[in-house]
Amino acid sequence: MSEGYAKLLEACEPHGMVLFHQLWHAGHNWGPIDGSLPWSASDLPGISGIVPIPMTQAMMDEVIASFADAARKCVALGTKGVEIHCAHGYLLAHFMSANTNDRTDQYSGSTENRLRFPIEVVRAVRAAVPAGYPVGVRVAPDVVPGGIDVELCTLLCQKLEAEGLIDFVDCSLGNYETWDTMWEGMHEGAGYQLKTSGAIARAVKSPRSLPHTRRGRCCDSRGRRGFRVDDARPHC
Protein backbone atom coordinates (compact mmCIF):
# COMPACT_ATOMS: atom_id res chain seq x y z
CA MET A 1 0.00 0.00 0.00
CA SER A 2 2.75 2.48 0.95
CA GLU A 3 4.48 2.01 -2.41
CA GLY A 4 1.26 2.68 -4.29
CA TYR A 5 0.52 5.81 -2.28
CA ALA A 6 4.06 7.08 -2.82
CA LYS A 7 3.58 6.77 -6.60
CA LEU A 8 0.20 8.52 -6.42
CA LEU A 9 1.55 11.40 -4.33
CA GLU A 10 4.53 11.74 -6.65
CA ALA A 11 2.20 11.93 -9.65
CA CYS A 12 0.08 14.63 -8.01
CA GLU A 13 2.90 16.88 -6.84
CA PRO A 14 3.95 18.41 -10.21
CA HIS A 15 0.38 19.61 -10.71
CA GLY A 16 0.17 21.43 -7.39
CA MET A 17 -2.32 18.87 -6.08
CA VAL A 18 -2.59 17.52 -2.57
CA LEU A 19 -4.23 14.21 -1.71
CA PHE A 20 -6.81 13.88 1.04
CA HIS A 21 -8.28 10.53 2.05
CA GLN A 22 -11.93 9.89 2.92
CA LEU A 23 -12.57 7.72 5.99
CA TRP A 24 -15.79 5.76 5.66
CA HIS A 25 -17.80 2.86 7.05
CA ALA A 26 -20.63 1.46 4.94
CA GLY A 27 -22.89 0.47 7.83
CA HIS A 28 -25.84 -1.66 6.73
CA ASN A 29 -25.11 -1.14 3.03
CA TRP A 30 -22.32 -3.74 2.74
CA GLY A 31 -20.99 -6.50 4.94
CA PRO A 32 -17.37 -7.32 5.77
CA ILE A 33 -15.23 -9.21 3.27
CA ASP A 34 -15.52 -12.35 5.42
CA GLY A 35 -19.22 -12.60 4.50
CA SER A 36 -20.57 -11.82 7.96
CA LEU A 37 -23.50 -9.49 8.53
CA PRO A 38 -22.97 -5.74 8.37
CA TRP A 39 -23.08 -3.53 11.47
CA SER A 40 -25.37 -0.58 11.97
CA ALA A 41 -26.97 1.60 14.64
CA SER A 42 -30.04 -0.68 14.67
CA ASP A 43 -31.34 -3.85 13.02
CA LEU A 44 -33.01 -1.87 10.23
CA PRO A 45 -32.06 -3.01 6.71
CA GLY A 46 -30.92 -0.73 3.91
CA ILE A 47 -31.74 -1.05 0.23
CA SER A 48 -29.94 -4.42 0.11
CA GLY A 49 -32.59 -5.90 2.41
CA ILE A 50 -29.92 -7.42 4.67
CA VAL A 51 -30.74 -7.05 8.36
CA PRO A 52 -27.62 -5.67 10.08
CA ILE A 53 -26.31 -6.38 13.56
CA PRO A 54 -27.14 -3.57 16.02
CA MET A 55 -23.79 -2.37 17.34
CA THR A 56 -22.85 -3.00 20.94
CA GLN A 57 -20.69 -0.56 22.85
CA ALA A 58 -17.70 -2.81 22.22
CA MET A 59 -18.38 -2.71 18.46
CA MET A 60 -18.69 1.06 18.57
CA ASP A 61 -15.41 1.35 20.47
CA GLU A 62 -13.77 -0.85 17.83
CA VAL A 63 -15.06 1.33 15.00
CA ILE A 64 -13.91 4.52 16.74
CA ALA A 65 -10.45 3.02 17.22
CA SER A 66 -10.40 1.89 13.59
CA PHE A 67 -11.20 5.39 12.30
CA ALA A 68 -8.36 6.75 14.43
CA ASP A 69 -5.97 4.04 13.22
CA ALA A 70 -6.94 4.75 9.60
CA ALA A 71 -6.19 8.44 10.14
CA ARG A 72 -2.74 7.61 11.54
CA LYS A 73 -2.07 5.47 8.48
CA CYS A 74 -3.08 8.35 6.20
CA VAL A 75 -0.55 10.59 7.94
CA ALA A 76 2.17 7.95 7.65
CA LEU A 77 1.40 7.41 3.96
CA GLY A 78 1.88 11.11 3.25
CA THR A 79 -1.67 12.24 2.51
CA LYS A 80 -2.35 15.86 3.38
CA GLY A 81 -5.69 15.53 5.19
CA VAL A 82 -8.68 13.31 5.90
CA GLU A 83 -12.41 13.64 5.46
CA ILE A 84 -14.81 11.70 7.70
CA HIS A 85 -17.95 10.58 5.86
CA CYS A 86 -21.07 11.43 7.86
CA ALA A 87 -23.48 11.36 4.93
CA HIS A 88 -25.22 9.35 2.21
CA GLY A 89 -26.76 6.71 4.46
CA TYR A 90 -23.49 5.22 5.69
CA LEU A 91 -22.73 4.22 9.27
CA LEU A 92 -22.33 7.61 10.93
CA ALA A 93 -25.47 8.84 9.17
CA HIS A 94 -27.32 5.77 10.51
CA PHE A 95 -26.76 7.07 14.02
CA MET A 96 -27.73 10.61 13.04
CA SER A 97 -31.06 9.74 11.41
CA ALA A 98 -34.12 8.80 13.45
CA ASN A 99 -35.16 6.64 10.49
CA THR A 100 -32.24 4.26 11.00
CA ASN A 101 -31.62 4.67 14.73
CA ASP A 102 -34.15 3.14 17.11
CA ARG A 103 -31.69 2.36 19.88
CA THR A 104 -32.69 2.88 23.51
CA ASP A 105 -29.34 3.98 24.90
CA GLN A 106 -27.37 7.23 25.05
CA TYR A 107 -26.86 7.16 21.28
CA SER A 108 -30.50 7.53 20.31
CA GLY A 109 -33.63 9.56 20.93
CA SER A 110 -32.67 13.22 21.24
CA THR A 111 -30.73 15.11 18.61
CA GLU A 112 -27.85 15.39 21.05
CA ASN A 113 -27.75 11.62 21.49
CA ARG A 114 -27.94 10.85 17.77
CA LEU A 115 -24.94 13.10 17.11
CA ARG A 116 -22.91 11.55 19.92
CA PHE A 117 -21.29 8.70 17.96
CA PRO A 118 -20.21 10.79 14.94
CA ILE A 119 -18.71 13.35 17.29
CA GLU A 120 -16.82 10.63 19.19
CA VAL A 121 -15.40 9.37 15.90
CA VAL A 122 -14.22 12.84 14.87
CA ARG A 123 -12.67 13.43 18.31
CA ALA A 124 -10.70 10.20 18.00
CA VAL A 125 -9.48 11.09 14.52
CA ARG A 126 -8.43 14.57 15.60
CA ALA A 127 -6.51 13.11 18.56
CA ALA A 128 -4.76 10.63 16.26
CA VAL A 129 -3.26 13.14 13.81
CA PRO A 130 -0.60 15.84 14.31
CA ALA A 131 -1.55 19.41 15.12
CA GLY A 132 -2.31 21.32 11.94
CA TYR A 133 -3.20 18.22 9.93
CA PRO A 134 -6.53 18.99 8.18
CA VAL A 135 -9.59 17.04 9.30
CA GLY A 136 -13.02 17.60 7.79
CA VAL A 137 -16.45 16.04 7.50
CA ARG A 138 -18.86 15.33 4.69
CA VAL A 139 -22.49 16.03 5.53
CA ALA A 140 -25.66 15.78 3.46
CA PRO A 141 -29.38 16.32 4.05
CA ASP A 142 -30.86 13.00 2.92
CA VAL A 143 -34.12 14.37 1.48
CA VAL A 144 -36.10 11.66 3.31
CA PRO A 145 -39.04 12.57 5.59
CA GLY A 146 -37.97 12.22 9.22
CA GLY A 147 -34.33 11.83 8.26
CA ILE A 148 -31.29 14.12 8.21
CA ASP A 149 -32.13 17.70 7.33
CA VAL A 150 -30.16 20.92 6.89
CA GLU A 151 -30.63 21.80 10.55
CA LEU A 152 -29.13 18.52 11.77
CA CYS A 153 -26.15 18.78 9.42
CA THR A 154 -25.63 22.36 10.56
CA LEU A 155 -25.79 21.43 14.23
CA LEU A 156 -23.20 18.67 13.78
CA CYS A 157 -20.81 21.05 12.02
CA GLN A 158 -21.31 23.73 14.67
CA LYS A 159 -20.59 21.29 17.49
CA LEU A 160 -17.46 19.98 15.76
CA GLU A 161 -16.30 23.50 15.02
CA ALA A 162 -16.92 24.64 18.61
CA GLU A 163 -14.54 21.91 19.85
CA GLY A 164 -11.93 22.79 17.25
CA LEU A 165 -12.20 19.35 15.67
CA ILE A 166 -12.61 20.23 11.98
CA ASP A 167 -10.89 22.39 9.39
CA PHE A 168 -13.38 22.10 6.53
CA VAL A 169 -16.90 20.96 5.65
CA ASP A 170 -17.86 19.05 2.50
CA CYS A 171 -21.56 19.56 1.67
CA SER A 172 -23.48 17.04 -0.41
CA LEU A 173 -27.07 15.81 -0.74
CA GLY A 174 -29.14 12.62 -0.65
CA ASN A 175 -28.66 8.96 0.22
CA TYR A 176 -29.48 5.59 -1.32
CA GLU A 177 -33.21 6.17 -0.87
CA THR A 178 -32.90 9.42 -2.82
CA TRP A 179 -30.41 8.14 -5.35
CA ASP A 180 -31.30 10.70 -8.02
CA THR A 181 -30.27 13.61 -5.82
CA MET A 182 -27.03 11.98 -4.69
CA TRP A 183 -25.64 11.02 -8.10
CA GLU A 184 -25.95 14.43 -9.76
CA GLY A 185 -27.86 13.38 -12.86
CA MET A 186 -28.10 15.53 -15.96
CA HIS A 187 -31.77 16.12 -15.14
CA GLU A 188 -30.63 18.39 -12.31
CA GLY A 189 -29.95 22.05 -12.93
CA ALA A 190 -26.50 23.55 -12.49
CA GLY A 191 -25.70 24.12 -8.83
CA TYR A 192 -28.84 22.31 -7.69
CA GLN A 193 -27.33 21.54 -4.27
CA LEU A 194 -26.43 25.15 -3.48
CA LYS A 195 -29.67 25.83 -1.63
CA THR A 196 -28.88 23.27 1.06
CA SER A 197 -25.09 23.52 1.06
CA GLY A 198 -25.21 27.30 1.18
CA ALA A 199 -27.47 27.19 4.23
CA ILE A 200 -25.04 24.88 6.06
CA ALA A 201 -22.02 26.96 5.06
CA ARG A 202 -23.56 30.24 6.23
CA ALA A 203 -24.32 28.74 9.64
CA VAL A 204 -20.73 27.67 10.34
CA LYS A 205 -19.52 30.91 11.90
CA SER A 206 -15.82 30.41 12.47
CA PRO A 207 -13.31 33.23 12.82
CA ARG A 208 -11.14 31.07 10.56
CA SER A 209 -13.92 31.11 7.96
CA LEU A 210 -14.01 27.32 7.60
CA PRO A 211 -13.65 26.41 3.94
CA HIS A 212 -16.26 24.14 2.48
CA THR A 213 -16.60 22.19 -0.72
CA ARG A 214 -19.79 21.78 -2.64
CA ARG A 215 -20.87 19.39 -5.33
CA GLY A 216 -23.89 18.87 -7.53
CA ARG A 217 -23.15 19.96 -11.11
CA CYS A 218 -21.26 23.10 -10.10
CA CYS A 219 -20.92 24.43 -13.62
CA ASP A 220 -23.21 26.27 -16.00
CA SER A 221 -24.70 24.97 -19.24
CA ARG A 222 -21.44 25.72 -21.06
CA GLY A 223 -19.34 23.78 -18.56
CA ARG A 224 -17.89 26.86 -16.88
CA ARG A 225 -16.98 26.15 -13.26
CA GLY A 226 -16.70 28.23 -10.13
CA PHE A 227 -19.76 30.44 -10.45
CA ARG A 228 -20.83 32.04 -7.18
CA VAL A 229 -24.15 32.68 -5.53
CA ASP A 230 -24.66 35.58 -3.16
CA ASP A 231 -25.29 33.32 -0.17
CA ALA A 232 -22.07 31.31 -0.51
CA ARG A 233 -19.14 31.40 1.86
CA PRO A 234 -15.55 31.13 0.57
CA HIS A 235 -15.13 27.62 -0.72
CA CYS A 236 -12.65 25.20 -2.21
Side-chain angles (χ1 to χ4, degrees):
M1 181 185 291
S2 58
E3 182 180 348
Y5 264 86
K7 290 181 179 178
L8 179 58
L9 291 166
E10 184 179 354
C12 291
E13 187 174 357
H15 304 283
M17 296 173 61
V18 294
L19 183 68
F20 281 41
H21 199 106
Q22 186 180 85
L23 306 181
W24 165 89
H25 190 297
H28 65 203
N29 294 290
W30 290 283
I33 59 175
D34 64 6
S36 59
L37 291 174
W39 295 0
S40 183
S42 304
D43 58 353
L44 301 173
I47 58 172
S48 68
I50 299 173
V51 178
I53 298 173
M55 293 171 67
T56 64
Q57 185 63 57
M59 291 174 172
M60 294 166 67
D61 292 343
E62 179 181 337
V63 167
I64 291 171
S66 295
F67 267 94
D69 184 55
R72 282 188 288 269
K73 289 177 180 176
C74 288
V75 174
L77 289 167
T79 61
K80 304 304 182 183
V82 292
E83 175 183 272
I84 302 164
H85 205 323
C86 301
H88 296 165
Y90 297 128
L91 180 63
L92 301 187
H94 296 167
F95 279 84
M96 292 171 62
S97 175
N99 289 335
T100 48
N101 184 344
D102 65 359
R103 303 172 68 93
T104 57
D105 58 10
Q106 70 270 29
Y107 293 96
S108 186
S110 69
T111 299
E112 192 86 13
N113 284 353
R114 286 184 282 114
L115 294 180
R116 189 184 307 276
F117 185 57
I119 292 173
E120 289 178 350
V121 168
V122 180
R123 283 176 183 152
V125 168
R126 172 55 76 190
V129 301
Y133 186 82
V135 174
V137 291
R138 173 177 282 194
V139 296
D142 60 20
V143 204
V144 177
I148 298 172
D149 56 17
V150 168
E151 289 72 24
L152 188 61
C153 292
T154 298
L155 182 59
L156 174 63
C157 294
Q158 289 173 333
K159 285 180 173 294
L160 295 173
E161 183 187 24
E163 292 191 35
L165 298 176
I166 55 173
D167 302 292
F168 66 92
V169 175
D170 177 3
C171 301
S172 187
L173 188 68
N175 67 10
Y176 284 94
E177 294 181 46
T178 51
W179 187 277
D180 57 327
T181 64
M182 184 170 68
W183 287 109
E184 308 170 5
M186 295 304 295
H187 63 287
E188 302 285 2
Y192 75 99
Q193 295 184 14
L194 290 175
K195 181 178 180 180
T196 52
S197 62
I200 296 168
R202 289 195 309 272
V204 181
K205 304 290 187 180
S206 171
R208 301 188 310 274
S209 187
L210 276 186
H212 66 282
T213 65
R214 290 172 295 174
R215 54 206 67 255
R217 300 200 62 218
C218 289
C219 58
D220 64 16
S221 60
R222 296 182 181 179
R224 295 175 298 190
R225 295 179 178 273
F227 65 90
R228 294 181 62 86
V229 292
D230 58 10
D231 66 351
R233 295 277 304 280
H235 63 284
C236 303

